[in-house]
Each structure stands twice: as C-alpha cells, then as structure tokens.
Amino acid sequence: MEITPNNKNIDKIVVSPKSKGLQYTLKKDFRKNWFVYLLAVPVIVWYIIFCYGPMWGVMIAFKDYKPLLGFAESDWVGFKHFIDFFTGPYFWRVVKNTLLLNVWGIVFGFTAPIILALMLNEIRDGKFKKTVQTITYMPHFISLVVVAGMIHIFVADEGVITQILQWITGKDYTSLLGYSSFFRPIYTFSGIWQNIGWNSIIYLAAMSTIDPALYEAADIDGVGRIKKMWYITLPQITPTIVILFIFAVGGLMASGHEKIILLYNPLTYDTADVIASYVYRRGLREASLSYSTAVGLFSAVINFGLLWITNKVAKRTSEVSLW
C-alpha cells in the first residue's frame, strides 16, 4: 500500500529499531548496560595478555630455540621435535598413562558428583543436607600442596589407608606411593574426595530449576523416589551433564600435572608419568624448551580434536552442544 502524508494510518507507522541496523542495537545496548561491559574489560584483557598473546611462542616447537638468539634468530628445524617425541622411548608410556588417568577420572570422578547431587536432592532434612554439603565442599578449599601432604601421610608405611589395606589383604606394604599399581586409584579417588562436593553444585543448581509440578504429578501416580530420579531428575539435567561431559572428554589428554608431580616418583613413572609431567621435566628441569613445547602442542591439538568430535556426536544424539 502506498503511504501518503494524507493517509490516516500514518501515525500508526513505527520504525523498528532493527531496521536501523546492528550498529544502532549495539550502541543502544552499550548505553543501557555500559557498566556490565566495563566489568568484562579486565577478563578480556587477561585473556589477551595471558592466553592469546603467548600463543605466538608456539613457533619454538618448530625451531631449535636458544634463549640468547631469541625466537627469530633460532634455527628452523620443522617437525624434528615432533618426530623425536613420536619415535622416542617414552611416547607410548606418557600417552597411555594420560589417557588411562583421565578415563579413570571420567568413569569415577565425573559420575560421583552426579550421584551425590541426586542423593542431596532427595534429602528433606535441611540441617542434615547443609551439614553434608559443608563437609563435602571443604576439601576443595584445601591447598593442593596440603592435600598431597595428607595423601603422603595416609599412605605411608604406618598410614591409615596402608594399615586398612594390610588388614584386608593380609599382606605387608610400605608406602603405597612406591607401588606403581596403586598410583591410579590413589590419584583418582583422592581427586573425588577433594572435588565431589564442589562439582555437585552445578548439578544441584540445575535440579533447582525443575518444575515441581512434575514431582507432584509423579506423587499422585504413586511413583517412588528412585523412579522419580530416573525418569524426571536425570532427564531434566541431561543437558548440563552433556555439556560437562564434552568438556571432560575435551581434556582427555590433559592431566593435573601439579598433583602428579607432588605424588609421583621414579618408582611409579610407568603408570604415573603423563604428558604434562613429561613436559615439565623436559622443559624446566632439562631445559629442552623446543621439545617440550612440541609435546605440549601435540597434546593441545589432540584435545581440540576430541572436543570437536565429542561436541559433534553430542549434537547429533542429544541436540545439546557447545556450538
């Protein structure tokens, strides 16, 4: 319809802000929420300086880096360090240990907070629930060095865990950290003890958004607690579980090297030495900066590939994904 100045409906014509373009929308939003944008500035600056800025240093993985010569003047060696790592005697050991430790972490450490959250969600006594939450949250705030020291005490020759194991098996043990077969259980279950409460918070938050009417309808139908957990609670928090699972698989080639370095020793290298600890030894203790950078870059690329594949599979199967 052609609109003329004499048209009676001209006063009803409203120009939508969208017609003025994205620039108008951003300016309007910035004027309205300028303080929120200001709060984001330190985070953006931190990522630029400490995350994106150092990325150009990855080039030393392809060079025979000499600190006195600098990045530009060091000799270019291409994929030499990668080939040395792939053909070296420790390649399969560190890759296998990294994968197995993280698989243990996913199988036991990833599921434990979900189970705890489901159990806490069923507790009706408020005081008891808060007490359990406080007790399970506390280990998360203990320094990792202190946690490692506690583990050393518990699994020492006369430690509590060592004594219990001797009583169960009837065998005599010295410090359990001296046995390579015990390293994975010690590392995994101490991590569960340290983080189970803290990691359950996000699942409890997801459960708090579930419509109570679903539980009320289930009560009317005579559904028990376990079936309500299985058919109502778990399906409702599945998107949260899937997102966190994608992140977990995306870090399958990365392990907490700080804790490993505090716990392992040459006697347990065959099960405890992972890519991160190997990079630490070669890069800092042996000053093989280019070689350790190449190993770290290899781990990062594999992690990105695993993240992308897991995200794609999750999107196809559950329609939940990161992007």
Side-chain angles (χ1 to χ4, degrees):
M1 179 180 68
E2 184 179 356
I3 299 175
T4 63
N6 296 326
N7 195 314
K8 296 179 180 180
N9 297 326
I10 191 169
D11 293 335
K12 298 181 181 180
I13 299 175
V14 178
V15 179
S16 173
K18 293 182 179 180
S19 64
K20 296 183 180 181
L22 180 62
Q23 185 177 5
Y24 173 86
T25 304
L26 290 176
K27 287 183 178 179
K28 182 179 179 181
D29 187 67
F30 182 78
R31 285 196 297 267
K32 183 179 179 180
N33 304 301
W34 65 271
F35 188 73
V36 178
Y37 285 97
L38 187 62
L39 290 175
V41 170
V43 178
I44 296 172
V45 171
W46 186 89
Y47 270 96
I48 292 174
I49 295 176
F50 296 102
C51 296
Y52 293 101
M55 287 179 69
W56 73 281
V58 169
M59 72 169 64
I60 70 174
F62 305 95
K63 292 193 170 191
D64 184 15
Y65 176 65
K66 304 295 183 184
L68 294 179
L69 296 178
F71 291 98
E73 299 298 327
S74 297
D75 296 333
W76 181 271
V77 295
F79 291 95
K80 176 182 180 297
H81 301 301
F82 293 93
I83 295 172
D84 290 344
F85 175 58
F86 296 150
T87 58
Y90 302 115
F91 173 74
W92 290 112
R93 185 182 76 178
V94 297
V95 170
K96 181 189 72 173
N97 291 340
T98 303
L99 287 173
L100 286 176
L101 271 181
N102 284 285
V103 168
W104 276 58
I106 291 176
V107 172
F108 299 105
F110 183 79
T111 56
I114 301 174
I115 296 172
L116 176 63
L118 289 170
M119 296 172 65
L120 289 173
N121 191 54
E122 294 299 318
I123 296 177
R124 298 293 175 258
D125 188 339
K127 291 184 178 180
F128 180 72
K129 182 177 181 179
K130 290 180 180 179
T131 301
V132 173
Q133 287 179 299
T134 302
I135 293 173
T136 55
Y137 294 169
M138 286 176 63
H140 176 79
F141 299 98
I142 301 176
S143 168
L144 185 58
V145 176
V146 176
V147 169
M150 294 170 65
I151 295 172
H152 277 280
I153 294 172
F154 293 153
V155 301
D157 296 354
E158 302 297 328
V160 176
I161 297 177
T162 305
Q163 294 299 313
I164 293 174
L165 187 62
Q166 289 178 352
W167 176 72
I168 293 174
T169 62
K171 298 179 180 179
D172 292 330
Y173 293 100
T174 55
S175 174
L176 298 183
L177 287 176
Y179 299 89
S180 59
S181 59
F182 287 128
F183 184 84
R184 290 189 189 117
I186 292 172
Y187 178 86
T188 302
F189 291 105
S190 64
I192 293 174
W193 166 74
Q194 187 179 5
N195 298 309
I196 185 173
W198 183 258
N199 291 341
S200 68
I201 292 176
I202 191 168
Y203 299 111
L204 289 169
M207 292 175 190
S208 67
T209 64
I210 300 175
D211 188 356
L214 296 174
Y215 294 108
E216 293 172 2
D219 289 333
I220 294 173
D221 292 336
V223 179
R225 286 192 174 186
I226 295 194
K227 287 189 176 181
K228 283 192 289 186
M229 283 192 293
W230 187 259
Y231 292 107
I232 297 176
T233 308
L234 274 176
Q236 292 295 315
I237 66 172
T238 295
T240 303
I241 295 174
V242 171
I243 293 297
L244 294 178
F245 181 76
I246 293 172
F247 281 120
V249 176
L252 204 60
M253 293 295 288
S255 300
H257 63 281
E258 298 95 345
K259 185 177 177 181
I260 291 175
I261 292 170
L262 291 170
L263 294 179
Y264 80 160
N265 57 71
L267 295 175
T268 58
Y269 276 176
D270 56 333
T271 58
D273 194 21
V274 297
I275 291 177
S277 60
Y278 183 63
V279 168
Y280 161 77
R281 290 202 314 276
R282 291 298 302 267
L284 295 181
R285 296 176 62 179
E286 299 179 17
S288 300
L289 300 178
S290 294
Y291 182 86
S292 61
T293 303
V295 177
L297 180 59
F298 161 77
S299 176
V301 171
I302 298 299
N303 277 334
F304 176 77
L306 290 172
L307 178 69
W308 183 82
I309 292 171
T310 308
N311 183 78
K312 193 170 183 178
V313 172
K315 189 174 184 179
R316 287 186 176 182
T317 56
S318 65
E319 297 183 355
V320 178
S321 62
L322 295 176
W323 62 83

